[in-house]
Amino acid sequence: MIAEILAVGTELLMGQIANTNAQYLSTRMAEIGVSVYHHTVVGDNLDRAKAALSLAKERGADIVLISGGLGPTQDDITRDVVASCLGKSMNISDEIVEHIRSLFTYRGREMPENNKRQAMVIEGATVLENPRGTAPGQYVAGDGVHYFLLPGPPTELKPMYEEQVLPILRRLQGEENLVFASRYLRTYGIGESAMEIKIQDIVDSQTNPTVAPYASEGEAMIRLTASAATEAEAQALITPVETAIRERIGKYIYGVDDETLPVKVGKLLRAKGQTMATAESCTGGMIATMITDVPGCSDIFWGSVVSYHNDVKHGVLGVEESVLREHGAVSSQCARQMAEGARRTTGADWAVSVTGIAGPGGGTKEKPVGLVFVGVAGPNGTTVEEYHLRGDRHQFRLRTAKVALYDLMQRIQNDSER
Amino acid sequence: MIAEILAVGTELLMGQIANTNAQYLSTRMAEIGVSVYHHTVVGDNLDRAKAALSLAKERGADIVLISGGLGPTQDDITRDVVASCLGKSMNISDEIVEHIRSLFTYRGREMPENNKRQAMVIEGATVLENPRGTAPGQYVAGDGVHYFLLPGPPTELKPMYEEQVLPILRRLQGEENLVFASRYLRTYGIGESAMEIKIQDIVDSQTNPTVAPYASEGEAMIRLTASAATEAEAQALITPVETAIRERIGKYIYGVDDETLPVKVGKLLRAKGQTMATAESCTGGMIATMITDVPGCSDIFWGSVVSYHNDVKHGVLGVEESVLREHGAVSSQCARQMAEGARRTTGADWAVSVTGIAGPGGGTKEKPVGLVFVGVAGPNGTTVEEYHLRGDRHQFRLRTAKVALYDLMQRIQNDSER
């Protein structure tokens, strides 16, 4: 099957937000073996949106995934566009009106009348519920094409896809008698091109499962996707290829599927009944934010001290004034005392610290932008590593947070209780 | 003038990378008043890329900005596609071959023969130099359309745009004798639909400047874009419309253009010579991360204590054990003592605290998921506000961080030194 991904929203064409939904939906299509040949973005313009929808059909799309344009204002045109292209009418759903009204009531506000637009349902459409927002999605088929109308905010679109769109696509695929299964192998410490060289022959020779490497901000991932008559058969096709890949680059693989670095660190700590804290300078709380983004982290995460100013490094974390004076805040000695101070202050079993120069300003010849020290203090002592990371301020902070989590993960894994 | 933004690359359709170039180029087009009606992504496929290019011309584009497909492999088809659509030939540039060869020599490597593909120049094209990579860009006009062939990597595309594409566009605009100016008004505390009701007549009646509202995660923004013979005249057209909007919803407007909440808080503090800290529970360091994402924040941001565990709330921030026992960690009393403790511990002039229930677990009937207390401690005392926010865990945390920054901003603004 072929899918086209269409985003509706003038804010995308103005560059105010990025079309992250296109990447997300593309990844999901690749996982289930649906081909994507085009992404299109149009503004909140009835004629251009209609033309884009017709074009998708002309270009042979079986599935059109549309994001955005489901809000309450006159600018939110997606419902009208799809109804018009299919020659179908729309009806207001009292049930949806009541749902939206209840959301406003919960916040102690009156529902503005224009919100009723969001309750217009295309004739014959299946309503896709949106517990995270006011605009429900819709699924409607016509002239052999399957249209999915999805909300623009990724936080609403993603769960709607997982919970409601994917089962419908699976059913449509089931009519083709094929089931797809995917597995992700998460690696750290090997670049995408180095990884590709090591497994290129496997990537090239495999057709079922297909093997695809991805890279993002210092991490690299390998996706294996197999199709078969049953889920179990598809999984059985994946296993030997996964084994072959692990024989080549197993030492770089730290997790599978949704096992990100913060998730993996949490699992390791939970298994040992231990806890952690962070002491952050240049990352400014980003490591703590990543850890606490995982639900249920409160049993392993005690807290963090973001010590941007030296007074906080000294006063809260107990970094010695002589260290700050003689070696500076960006030094191995300071990273060590920050980690040990955070461990002592919070009472956690482990603490990871970072101190570095994020830029764009503040670099010197001896301590250039990109220099960072990562300390890990644990039950059996403290280690410090020095790194030189590339990228702009945001990339540097993100890469620093990841390398710190990776160092912590390795220390926890290798720690034998003495 | 109208521009269309076309990206070429199968990796985009597979979801392996995001099309960040489209957002970047869209923002740049909005800045100079060039309208963008479509973004398109196609794979490394000659026929589909040719069709997309023809379509851009049919749809009335004066400018086509193409990213990607300029590399050395057979898959890199952009040069061939544009030459073919314009009916022009290509010639190899010895100068570019030598430039590429020198890059390989510098890295101590032989230039692979296929790299000569990158030196193919379309008849009549201007070469856009690429000091940051091997693939140069090209600018060529034909049949009234201006084509810009740009490299895919954003680190190469962005400087090429700034240094070489923008001057050409300015020259083309100069021939039209029109200059564009934009202003963004940032609001907080008013939903997009409520805002639209208040200013709909202004939005509808204005053509120069155009007025467009946008929303994202609790914030809403209004863009005004005007065109005139000079920058000053364009700005003069914007001013009265901005005034009219401010008369209606002025109390919700906190900043203009790039003045986000963290930027605004930083400016206010800097003007007063004051500093801040945060004490975070449910946001886990996100407020500190947002503040430190702004370069140069070290003169106003002292640090943060992420007190996830009650031991940290008590031990580091000094929250009384009786408060934790009798009122619980998610309480007005705890938020107050967290803010005051962070102010005392870090020595900053201001501290903002948050304690709430992010979910999905941990909610009770009395303290449901979404409940959050925000405390602000300053030179003239402490205030605490109670909020009930919607959204999944990630949305809740983001909205909590924003409401906390907004409360802090208001307190700083309204604070009269006594």
Side-chain angles (χ1 to χ4, degrees), chain B residues 89-108:
Chain B
S89 62
M90 288 201 286
N91 296 299
I92 199 156
S93 157
D94 293 337
E95 203 181 331
I96 298 173
V97 172
E98 280 320 302
H99 168 69
I100 298 170
R101 198 189 302 278
S102 73
L103 289 174
F104 276 90
T105 308
Y106 176 74
R107 284 181 279 174

Side-chain angles (χ1 to χ4, degrees), chain A residues 227-364:
Chain A
S227 59
T230 67
E231 165 87 23
E233 282 174 53
Q235 292 289 357
L237 288 168
I238 289 174
T239 303
V241 182
E242 177 180 347
T243 304
I245 292 170
R246 282 184 181 273
E247 276 167 17
R248 306 268 184 92
I249 57 164
K251 66 174 173 173
Y252 300 105
I253 299 172
Y254 71 82
V256 294
D257 296 336
D258 292 334
E259 214 169 42
T260 60
L261 283 168
V263 168
K264 181 78 181 186
V265 165
K267 280 186 184 176
L268 290 169
L269 288 171
R270 210 164 280 124
K272 292 186 175 221
Q274 293 181 329
T275 61
M276 68 165 285
T278 79
E280 308 187 40
S281 188
C282 57
T283 44
M286 194 183 268
I287 305 172
T289 304
M290 285 164 72
I291 290 280
T292 56
D293 210 32
V294 182
C297 61
S298 58
D299 57 340
I300 59 101
F301 183 70
W302 257 213
S304 172
V305 176
V306 180
S307 55
Y308 228 62
H309 196 279
N310 280 353
D311 285 0
V312 180
K313 291 187 184 78
H314 172 65
V316 184
L317 291 174
V319 176
E320 290 164 22
E321 285 180 329
S322 62
V323 162
L324 295 169
R325 199 169 52 237
E326 288 159 31
H327 303 283
V330 180
S331 66
S332 170
Q333 292 84 348
C334 184
R336 174 179 296 273
Q337 294 195 355
M338 282 172 67
E340 291 173 352
R343 185 167 179 265
R344 191 175 53 240
T345 305
T346 62
D349 298 299
W350 294 88
V352 60
S353 71
V354 293
T355 179
I357 298 169
T364 63

Side-chain angles (χ1 to χ4, degrees), chain A residues 11 13-16 18 23 26 39 41 73 155 213-214 284-286 288-289 292 302-304 306 308-309 393 397, chain B residues 15-16 18 23 26-27 36 38-39 41 184 196 214 223 284-286 288-289 292 302-304 306 308-309 393 395 397:
Chain A
E11 66 275 24
L13 297 178
M14 295 293 295
Q16 288 166 314
Q23 183 183 20
S26 289
H39 294 172
V41 180
T73 76
T155 48
Y214 300 93
M286 194 183 268
T289 304
T292 56
W302 257 213
S304 172
V306 180
Y308 228 62
H309 196 279
R393 184 179 177 88
R397 281 157 48 97
Chain B
Q16 288 166 312
Q23 182 183 19
S26 290
T27 308
V36 175
H38 297 91
H39 294 172
V41 180
Y184 294 87
E196 195 178 87
Y214 301 95
R223 176 182 54 78
M286 193 182 268
T289 303
T292 57
W302 258 211
S304 172
V306 180
Y308 229 63
H309 195 277
R393 184 180 179 86
Q395 286 175 310
R397 280 156 49 97

Side-chain angles (χ1 to χ4, degrees), chain B residues 34 44 123 152 170 220 315 335 349 393 418:
Chain B
V34 171
D44 304 318
E123 185 192 343
R170 287 290 193 193
D349 298 301
R393 184 180 179 86
R418 278 178 278 189

Side-chain angles (χ1 to χ4, degrees), chain A residues 55-97:
Chain A
L55 186 63
K57 193 185 157 190
E58 279 166 38
R59 294 198 282 217
D62 306 296
I63 299 162
V64 184
L65 299 164
I66 313 167
S67 63
L70 295 183
T73 76
Q74 291 293 329
D75 276 355
D76 291 299
I77 56 168
T78 300
R79 286 173 295 260
D80 309 75
V81 166
V82 177
S84 159
C85 281
L86 286 172
K88 296 198 177 195
S89 62
M90 288 201 286
N91 296 299
I92 198 155
S93 156
D94 294 336
E95 203 180 331
I96 299 173
V97 172

Side-chain angles (χ1 to χ4, degrees), chain B residues 342-379:
Chain B
R343 187 167 178 266
R344 191 174 55 238
T345 305
T346 62
D349 298 301
W350 295 88
V352 59
S353 70
V354 292
T355 178
I357 298 168
T364 63
K365 201 175 168 188
E366 280 136 39
K367 296 186 178 179
V369 169
L371 171 67
V372 64
F373 293 92
V374 174
V376 179

Side-chain angles (χ1 to χ4, degrees), chain A residues 96-107:
Chain A
I96 299 173
V97 172
E98 280 321 302
H99 167 70
I100 298 170
R101 198 187 303 278
S102 72
L103 290 174
F104 277 90
T105 307
Y106 176 75
R107 284 180 281 170

